[in-house]
Amino acid sequence: MTILKLVFIELWKRKSQLITGLLAITLGIAVIVGIQSVSVVSEQNVARNLDNLGANILVLPQGASIDNYYTSDIDAPTLPMDYVERILTSTIAGVDNMSPKLTRRVKVGGQSVVLTGILPKSEIASKPLWQSSGLLGSELKTACAPSQSTTKSHGLEDEKLKRKAIDTLNTTDCIAGSQVAKLLKLQAGGSINILGKDFKVVKILPETGTIDDDRIFANLKDVQTLLGIENQVSAIEIMGCCNAISEGLLGKLRNILPDTRVTSINQIVSTQIETNQLMKKVTLVMLIIIFFVGGISIGNYIWANVNERKREIGILRMMGAGRSTIYRMFLLKALILGIAGGILGYILGTLAGVILGPYFAGILVKPVYMYLVWSIILSVAISLAGSLFPTYLAAKFDPHSNLQED
Amino acid sequence: MFLQGENILKQYPHNGGFINALDKVSFNVDQGDFVTVTGPSGSGKSTLLLSLFGLIRLSSGTIIFNGKRIDNISDRHLTDIRKKSVGYILQSFALIPYLTTIQNVMIPLALERIPQKEQVKRATEILDYVGLSDRIEHLPRELSAGQQQRVAIARSIVHRPQIIMADEPTGNLDPTLSLEILEFLKKINRENKITIMMVTHSPVAADYGTMKLHLNEGKIVN
Ligand SMILES: Nc1ncnc2c1ncn2[C@@H]1O[C@H](COP(=O)(O)OP(=O)(O)O)[C@@H](O)[C@H]1O
Ligand SMILES: [Mg+2]
């Protein structure tokens, strides 16, 4: 017998009470871990996408939301395909490249995937990732990308990918992002039925860590026909020359493209960064709330436990247990509760992030194992802080008066 | 001098004045005595028993244990004396409800941080001594009143105390079980030379005393 063993036996014998005691702290930790794991990925994505994105101007329909630029083209309203012509034939200088896209969420093999129709040549040409070391891309990085985008591009300059996709993306061909390929068990050379039409999978893209991983790319014409959205696109990505942008390229584009939103990626990214900063503030507020709510809840639980065990405390004191033993008994219990709450909260929050992240933030969330350590530290701190006062009172109990009642 | 009380006064505030639960009580107990404390209800028996090793602090008076004053020492020291040298038996058994028989008996050893193996060995021996070898893994509520009190006796002697303080140990038991418990206490007193101080209001139990204290309204009477 040891005091620790006594604590465990008591915990086990009253395990139903344990659930109530742990509820608040577990949920609290879960919320923080959930928010944190979503926003950390979101932040990484901003940096990574800045690095990898070939385009620096996005033309979207007026009604499109740019709250989240990773998904801003999915299921958004559309704009006429003619606008591509209009830009090309205009006298506006500084548009180096263009990539019209039509993106919709579709069901393939029972799974929801994002289908993006692209005009092969221009799409590929404006993605530095898909080129060996795209001239435009590397220039863009040094010239236009904000300085915080220090994340290295993933060394994915796969020689084989070099421009090859352009020539091979015929109608009935498609390219699958790595995640989609995993999800649907696709292989290069295999085939896939999308909305009733058979496509040949000509390539599986290597993992980029961006939204491209979750997409299937097919010829724009095919996608328009399949979706019944002829001559419409959901976005036009434009590769603009940096100097031209600073000289008012965006405004000039707006003039010739009515009912559109012409935004620079920088603008969108800064919206995203603002969102992330807001999330950080929300997390901080949550942290404070959880510290109090969780602490009070655990304190309340321990106090109820102390009262229920008044007689036991009296008996132990009678047998020669010092105040320190009483402290040890209840603080050990709080410690165990804290550890359990931290672990449970971490699991719950991570699950919530992984499951709900793709829906609410449009991003893939991976478990951050380091958060387990922080969850436990935080939870233990809350639990101990909340239990300190009830334990102090328990240790101060007069042993004799608590022996009498039965 | 084993255990000596001198002019022990314990006052409780009552109706703006005081009640003297113990009113200048003096006594002298030798090692190996079987002391019985008798008296009507409310005469101060429990107060006397519980105040000797600090479970109730005195208003005034002197207590000497093993030649040293213990009425004016710190709570910590008194706790230590209780842990090492005193065993308690109460009328209500005072077992910890979620612990098994052997776990309850091991508590005093756990408080002294005795190694697990030694704890099991000693607790098993003692439980054998009180005839509960076949109830080792039972919870208190799975035991009869007599068995529960035997667990409490085992717990009070497992750490080899010098003195056992028993407050109406047979108060909740029928006459047959009471006799059984009293015989146990006598055996412990004789065989192990453990001093016993027992509060009782049963004349049968009082007969076991080798030294008798009778209290009335907080005073010792003869
Ligand atoms: N905590 C207390 N507060 C006030 N009075 C008390 C308290 N405990 C005991 N008393 C009083 O002290 C007297 C002695 O009580 P006690 O020692 O329990 O008597 P006994 O054990 O002989 O029945 C009684 O009059 C009782 O009412
Ligand atoms: Mg009494």
mmCIF file with all atom_site columns, all heavy atoms in Angstrom, chain A residues 182-194:
data_model
loop_
_atom_site.group_PDB
_atom_site.id
_atom_site.type_symbol
_atom_site.label_atom_id
_atom_site.label_alt_id
_atom_site.label_comp_id
_atom_site.label_asym_id
_atom_site.label_entity_id
_atom_site.label_seq_id
_atom_site.pdbx_PDB_ins_code
_atom_site.Cartn_x
_atom_site.Cartn_y
_atom_site.Cartn_z
_atom_site.occupancy
_atom_site.B_iso_or_equiv
_atom_site.pdbx_formal_charge
_atom_site.auth_seq_id
_atom_site.auth_comp_id
_atom_site.auth_asym_id
_atom_site.auth_atom_id
_atom_site.pdbx_PDB_model_num
ATOM 1  N N   . LYS A 1 182 ? -4.524  8.754  -53.543 1.00 0.00 ? 182 LYS A N   1
ATOM 2  C CA  . LYS A 1 182 ? -4.540  7.837  -52.402 1.00 0.00 ? 182 LYS A CA  1
ATOM 3  C C   . LYS A 1 182 ? -5.968  7.442  -52.055 1.00 0.00 ? 182 LYS A C   1
ATOM 4  O O   . LYS A 1 182 ? -6.293  6.287  -51.851 1.00 0.00 ? 182 LYS A O   1
ATOM 5  C CB  . LYS A 1 182 ? -3.875  8.505  -51.191 1.00 0.00 ? 182 LYS A CB  1
ATOM 6  C CG  . LYS A 1 182 ? -2.559  7.839  -50.803 1.00 0.00 ? 182 LYS A CG  1
ATOM 7  C CD  . LYS A 1 182 ? -1.979  8.498  -49.565 1.00 0.00 ? 182 LYS A CD  1
ATOM 8  C CE  . LYS A 1 182 ? -0.668  9.192  -49.881 1.00 0.00 ? 182 LYS A CE  1
ATOM 9  N NZ  . LYS A 1 182 ? -0.263  10.143 -48.855 1.00 0.00 ? 182 LYS A NZ  1
ATOM 10 N N   . LEU A 1 183 ? -6.806  8.472  -52.001 1.00 0.00 ? 183 LEU A N   1
ATOM 11 C CA  . LEU A 1 183 ? -8.206  8.287  -51.611 1.00 0.00 ? 183 LEU A CA  1
ATOM 12 C C   . LEU A 1 183 ? -8.925  7.333  -52.556 1.00 0.00 ? 183 LEU A C   1
ATOM 13 O O   . LEU A 1 183 ? -9.674  6.446  -52.126 1.00 0.00 ? 183 LEU A O   1
ATOM 14 C CB  . LEU A 1 183 ? -8.896  9.655  -51.601 1.00 0.00 ? 183 LEU A CB  1
ATOM 15 C CG  . LEU A 1 183 ? -10.262 9.726  -50.955 1.00 0.00 ? 183 LEU A CG  1
ATOM 16 C CD1 . LEU A 1 183 ? -10.137 9.549  -49.457 1.00 0.00 ? 183 LEU A CD1 1
ATOM 17 C CD2 . LEU A 1 183 ? -10.918 11.076 -51.263 1.00 0.00 ? 183 LEU A CD2 1
ATOM 18 N N   . LEU A 1 184 ? -8.714  7.539  -53.843 1.00 0.00 ? 184 LEU A N   1
ATOM 19 C CA  . LEU A 1 184 ? -9.447  6.747  -54.839 1.00 0.00 ? 184 LEU A CA  1
ATOM 20 C C   . LEU A 1 184 ? -8.628  5.576  -55.373 1.00 0.00 ? 184 LEU A C   1
ATOM 21 O O   . LEU A 1 184 ? -9.039  4.888  -56.289 1.00 0.00 ? 184 LEU A O   1
ATOM 22 C CB  . LEU A 1 184 ? -9.881  7.650  -56.000 1.00 0.00 ? 184 LEU A CB  1
ATOM 23 C CG  . LEU A 1 184 ? -10.810 8.811  -55.640 1.00 0.00 ? 184 LEU A CG  1
ATOM 24 C CD1 . LEU A 1 184 ? -11.045 9.705  -56.840 1.00 0.00 ? 184 LEU A CD1 1
ATOM 25 C CD2 . LEU A 1 184 ? -12.134 8.304  -55.099 1.00 0.00 ? 184 LEU A CD2 1
ATOM 26 N N   . LYS A 1 185 ? -7.445  5.385  -54.778 1.00 0.00 ? 185 LYS A N   1
ATOM 27 C CA  . LYS A 1 185 ? -6.534  4.309  -55.192 1.00 0.00 ? 185 LYS A CA  1
ATOM 28 C C   . LYS A 1 185 ? -6.252  4.364  -56.692 1.00 0.00 ? 185 LYS A C   1
ATOM 29 O O   . LYS A 1 185 ? -6.391  3.382  -57.409 1.00 0.00 ? 185 LYS A O   1
ATOM 30 C CB  . LYS A 1 185 ? -7.125  2.946  -54.814 1.00 0.00 ? 185 LYS A CB  1
ATOM 31 C CG  . LYS A 1 185 ? -7.360  2.816  -53.313 1.00 0.00 ? 185 LYS A CG  1
ATOM 32 C CD  . LYS A 1 185 ? -7.728  1.397  -52.922 1.00 0.00 ? 185 LYS A CD  1
ATOM 33 C CE  . LYS A 1 185 ? -7.912  1.271  -51.426 1.00 0.00 ? 185 LYS A CE  1
ATOM 34 N NZ  . LYS A 1 185 ? -9.043  2.106  -50.932 1.00 0.00 ? 185 LYS A NZ  1
ATOM 35 N N   . LEU A 1 186 ? -5.870  5.558  -57.146 1.00 0.00 ? 186 LEU A N   1
ATOM 36 C CA  . LEU A 1 186 ? -5.591  5.741  -58.566 1.00 0.00 ? 186 LEU A CA  1
ATOM 37 C C   . LEU A 1 186 ? -4.124  5.457  -58.842 1.00 0.00 ? 186 LEU A C   1
ATOM 38 O O   . LEU A 1 186 ? -3.274  5.657  -57.991 1.00 0.00 ? 186 LEU A O   1
ATOM 39 C CB  . LEU A 1 186 ? -5.906  7.189  -58.975 1.00 0.00 ? 186 LEU A CB  1
ATOM 40 C CG  . LEU A 1 186 ? -7.345  7.638  -58.807 1.00 0.00 ? 186 LEU A CG  1
ATOM 41 C CD1 . LEU A 1 186 ? -7.492  9.088  -59.230 1.00 0.00 ? 186 LEU A CD1 1
ATOM 42 C CD2 . LEU A 1 186 ? -8.286  6.762  -59.617 1.00 0.00 ? 186 LEU A CD2 1
ATOM 43 N N   . GLN A 1 187 ? -3.880  5.018  -60.098 1.00 0.00 ? 187 GLN A N   1
ATOM 44 C CA  . GLN A 1 187 ? -2.500  4.824  -60.524 1.00 0.00 ? 187 GLN A CA  1
ATOM 45 C C   . GLN A 1 187 ? -2.338  5.415  -61.909 1.00 0.00 ? 187 GLN A C   1
ATOM 46 O O   . GLN A 1 187 ? -3.288  5.432  -62.693 1.00 0.00 ? 187 GLN A O   1
ATOM 47 C CB  . GLN A 1 187 ? -2.168  3.333  -60.574 1.00 0.00 ? 187 GLN A CB  1
ATOM 48 C CG  . GLN A 1 187 ? -1.812  2.787  -59.206 1.00 0.00 ? 187 GLN A CG  1
ATOM 49 C CD  . GLN A 1 187 ? -1.552  1.317  -59.222 1.00 0.00 ? 187 GLN A CD  1
ATOM 50 O OE1 . GLN A 1 187 ? -2.077  0.607  -60.088 1.00 0.00 ? 187 GLN A OE1 1
ATOM 51 N NE2 . GLN A 1 187 ? -0.760  0.848  -58.279 1.00 0.00 ? 187 GLN A NE2 1
ATOM 52 N N   . ALA A 1 188 ? -1.127  5.896  -62.177 1.00 0.00 ? 188 ALA A N   1
ATOM 53 C CA  . ALA A 1 188 ? -0.875  6.437  -63.504 1.00 0.00 ? 188 ALA A CA  1
ATOM 54 C C   . ALA A 1 188 ? -1.133  5.344  -64.538 1.00 0.00 ? 188 ALA A C   1
ATOM 55 O O   . ALA A 1 188 ? -0.694  4.202  -64.350 1.00 0.00 ? 188 ALA A O   1
ATOM 56 C CB  . ALA A 1 188 ? 0.554   6.946  -63.603 1.00 0.00 ? 188 ALA A CB  1
ATOM 57 N N   . GLY A 1 189 ? -1.858  5.681  -65.571 1.00 0.00 ? 189 GLY A N   1
ATOM 58 C CA  . GLY A 1 189 ? -2.181  4.691  -66.594 1.00 0.00 ? 189 GLY A CA  1
ATOM 59 C C   . GLY A 1 189 ? -3.544  4.048  -66.370 1.00 0.00 ? 189 GLY A C   1
ATOM 60 O O   . GLY A 1 189 ? -4.115  3.435  -67.265 1.00 0.00 ? 189 GLY A O   1
ATOM 61 N N   . GLY A 1 190 ? -4.075  4.201  -65.158 1.00 0.00 ? 190 GLY A N   1
ATOM 62 C CA  . GLY A 1 190 ? -5.384  3.645  -64.864 1.00 0.00 ? 190 GLY A CA  1
ATOM 63 C C   . GLY A 1 190 ? -6.485  4.532  -65.422 1.00 0.00 ? 190 GLY A C   1
ATOM 64 O O   . GLY A 1 190 ? -6.220  5.523  -66.110 1.00 0.00 ? 190 GLY A O   1
ATOM 65 N N   . SER A 1 191 ? -7.701  4.175  -65.113 1.00 0.00 ? 191 SER A N   1
ATOM 66 C CA  . SER A 1 191 ? -8.787  5.020  -65.605 1.00 0.00 ? 191 SER A CA  1
ATOM 67 C C   . SER A 1 191 ? -9.742  5.333  -64.471 1.00 0.00 ? 191 SER A C   1
ATOM 68 O O   . SER A 1 191 ? -9.738  4.673  -63.420 1.00 0.00 ? 191 SER A O   1
ATOM 69 C CB  . SER A 1 191 ? -9.516  4.345  -66.764 1.00 0.00 ? 191 SER A CB  1
ATOM 70 O OG  . SER A 1 191 ? -10.278 3.272  -66.265 1.00 0.00 ? 191 SER A OG  1
ATOM 71 N N   . ILE A 1 192 ? -10.542 6.349  -64.701 1.00 0.00 ? 192 ILE A N   1
ATOM 72 C CA  . ILE A 1 192 ? -11.454 6.798  -63.670 1.00 0.00 ? 192 ILE A CA  1
ATOM 73 C C   . ILE A 1 192 ? -12.698 7.348  -64.345 1.00 0.00 ? 192 ILE A C   1
ATOM 74 O O   . ILE A 1 192 ? -12.619 7.985  -65.405 1.00 0.00 ? 192 ILE A O   1
ATOM 75 C CB  . ILE A 1 192 ? -10.768 7.875  -62.794 1.00 0.00 ? 192 ILE A CB  1
ATOM 76 C CG1 . ILE A 1 192 ? -11.736 8.395  -61.729 1.00 0.00 ? 192 ILE A CG1 1
ATOM 77 C CG2 . ILE A 1 192 ? -10.240 9.026  -63.636 1.00 0.00 ? 192 ILE A CG2 1
ATOM 78 C CD1 . ILE A 1 192 ? -11.108 9.378  -60.783 1.00 0.00 ? 192 ILE A CD1 1
ATOM 79 N N   . ASN A 1 193 ? -13.833 7.072  -63.738 1.00 0.00 ? 193 ASN A N   1
ATOM 80 C CA  . ASN A 1 193 ? -15.081 7.572  -64.299 1.00 0.00 ? 193 ASN A CA  1
ATOM 81 C C   . ASN A 1 193 ? -15.518 8.802  -63.527 1.00 0.00 ? 193 ASN A C   1
ATOM 82 O O   . ASN A 1 193 ? -15.774 8.741  -62.335 1.00 0.00 ? 193 ASN A O   1
ATOM 83 C CB  . ASN A 1 193 ? -16.151 6.479  -64.218 1.00 0.00 ? 193 ASN A CB  1
ATOM 84 C CG  . ASN A 1 193 ? -17.406 6.883  -64.954 1.00 0.00 ? 193 ASN A CG  1
ATOM 85 O OD1 . ASN A 1 193 ? -18.128 7.754  -64.488 1.00 0.00 ? 193 ASN A OD1 1
ATOM 86 N ND2 . ASN A 1 193 ? -17.647 6.266  -66.098 1.00 0.00 ? 193 ASN A ND2 1
ATOM 87 N N   . ILE A 1 194 ? -15.565 9.941  -64.234 1.00 0.00 ? 194 ILE A N   1
ATOM 88 C CA  . ILE A 1 194 ? -16.008 11.176 -63.590 1.00 0.00 ? 194 ILE A CA  1
ATOM 89 C C   . ILE A 1 194 ? -17.298 11.634 -64.247 1.00 0.00 ? 194 ILE A C   1
ATOM 90 O O   . ILE A 1 194 ? -17.330 11.869 -65.463 1.00 0.00 ? 194 ILE A O   1
ATOM 91 C CB  . ILE A 1 194 ? -14.939 12.277 -63.710 1.00 0.00 ? 194 ILE A CB  1
ATOM 92 C CG1 . ILE A 1 194 ? -13.604 11.808 -63.122 1.00 0.00 ? 194 ILE A CG1 1
ATOM 93 C CG2 . ILE A 1 194 ? -15.407 13.550 -63.026 1.00 0.00 ? 194 ILE A CG2 1
ATOM 94 C CD1 . ILE A 1 194 ? -12.448 12.743 -63.393 1.00 0.00 ? 194 ILE A CD1 1
#
